Amino acid sequence: GENVEQHPSTLSVQEGDSAVIKCTYSDSASNYFPWYKQELGKGPQLIIDIRSNVGEKKDQRIAVTLNKTAKHFSLHITETQPEDSAVYFCAASKRNSGYSTLTFGKGTMLLVSP
Amino acid sequence: DTAVSQTPKYLVTQMGNDKSIKCEQNLGHDTMYWYKQDSKKFLKIMFSYNNKELIINETVPNRFSPKSPDKAHLNLHINSLELGDSAVYFCASSLLGDRGRYEQYFGPGTRLTVT
């Protein structure tokens, strides 16, 4: 089955700095890569995603890049703010007989200090 | 206007009891999921239902029995609760179908504590 590795497990940055979280996946058939943000006591919230036919996608301060050959994808957050502090999860998915399953990385706790 | 809702938010019970968690989505999705998040925050799929039919059943003990009365609801019943069942359980939903999209949307979670 699919295996998703995520690094680092913890990331501390100063407000205004950039943050980068990296993930690798094992199944070359995976074709959808979402990122979720989970705040304390809440459910994971989809913040950005990318499909395998695209190399990069941006949405304001966040961007995701995908390297299919190397089977890795990354989340980039620029101009970090204290409210960006949360646990971030990457995931990989593929369509299989009409349904898809998400395999998650183990999460990165991002701490943004004012 | 809650998209995916779960009840209860907290559930504290003793070993051996039977309990249920309810989930409802108002997004018009046709597929619903149950995930378990352990103490180390790892998220793992347990079950998935598409149009009330079970399509994913990971290696979960048969003490866990999902039930989907309709496309908008997916409940999770747990028999003979054990200490190791303590976790946060998340419901999620997505739209598959002929023009399905991949995005899954999560509920707020139910924190189950077994004592």
Side-chain angles (χ1 to χ4, degrees):
Chain A
E2 175 66 276
N3 183 48
V4 177
E5 298 284 340
Q6 182 172 347
H7 299 280
S9 56
T10 305
L11 179 59
S12 295
V13 300
Q14 292 288 320
E15 182 177 1
D17 289 349
S18 295
V20 180
I21 303 171
K22 299 182 179 182
C23 289
T24 60
Y25 61 99
S26 61
D27 190 342
S28 57
S30 289
N31 56 7
Y32 173 66
F33 308 91
W35 286 88
Y36 286 84
K37 175 184 180 182
Q38 186 177 21
E39 297 176 326
L40 194 62
K42 297 185 177 180
Q45 177 190 5
L46 179 66
I47 56 172
I48 195 167
D49 56 14
I50 191 167
R51 301 181 196 277
S52 58
N53 58 349
V54 176
E56 183 176 1
K57 183 177 178 181
K58 288 183 180 180
D59 183 2
Q60 299 183 337
R61 295 186 298 108
I62 60 174
V64 57
T65 58
L66 171 65
N67 183 327
K68 284 172 52 181
T69 303
K71 290 190 283 189
H72 67 70
F73 56 112
S74 301
L75 177 71
H76 303 254
I77 306 175
T78 58
E79 301 173 21
T80 54
Q81 301 167 2
E83 50 266 38
D84 294 330
S85 296
V87 179
Y88 290 81
F89 293 95
C90 64
S93 174
K94 64 180 178 182
R95 278 294 181 89
N96 183 13
S97 300
Y99 63 88
S100 63
T101 59
L102 280 178
T103 301
F104 284 87
K106 293 191 175 181
T108 296
M109 180 173 289
L110 174 64
L111 301 170
V112 181
S113 303
Chain B
D1 59 347
T2 304
V4 182
S5 59
Q6 295 177 230
T7 54
K9 186 165 177 62
Y10 301 97
L11 186 52
V12 181
T13 188
Q14 292 184 330
M15 283 173 48
N17 285 347
D18 303 339
K19 290 293 179 185
S20 292
I21 306 171
K22 295 185 176 182
C23 178
E24 177 181 2
Q25 55 91 8
N26 63 5
L27 296 168
H29 289 167
D30 57 7
T31 304
M32 297 183 72
Y33 311 80
W34 278 110
Y35 286 85
K36 179 180 181 180
Q37 186 171 48
D38 62 23
S39 58
K40 295 184 178 180
K41 295 286 190 177
F42 185 54
L43 272 164
K44 186 171 169 59
I45 183 75
M46 299 174 67
F47 301 102
S48 176
Y49 271 73
N50 175 254
N51 286 319
K52 301 193 298 178
E53 288 190 20
L54 181 66
I55 56 173
I56 297 172
N57 184 352
E58 294 296 312
T59 51
V60 178
N62 57 14
R63 297 182 295 103
F64 290 78
S65 53
K67 286 184 173 56
S68 181
D70 55 58
K71 287 194 304 183
H73 296 85
L74 180 63
N75 303 323
L76 183 64
H77 188 76
I78 315 171
N79 290 327
S80 303
L81 279 155
E82 300 177 357
L83 292 176
D85 297 331
S86 296
V88 181
Y89 292 84
F90 287 101
C91 177
S93 72
S94 68
L95 181 65
L96 291 183
D98 291 338
R99 297 182 180 181
R101 301 173 64 84
Y102 291 74
E103 297 91 341
Q104 290 187 22
Y105 295 91
F106 283 74
T110 295
R111 181 175 292 276
L112 172 64
T113 303
V114 183
T115 62

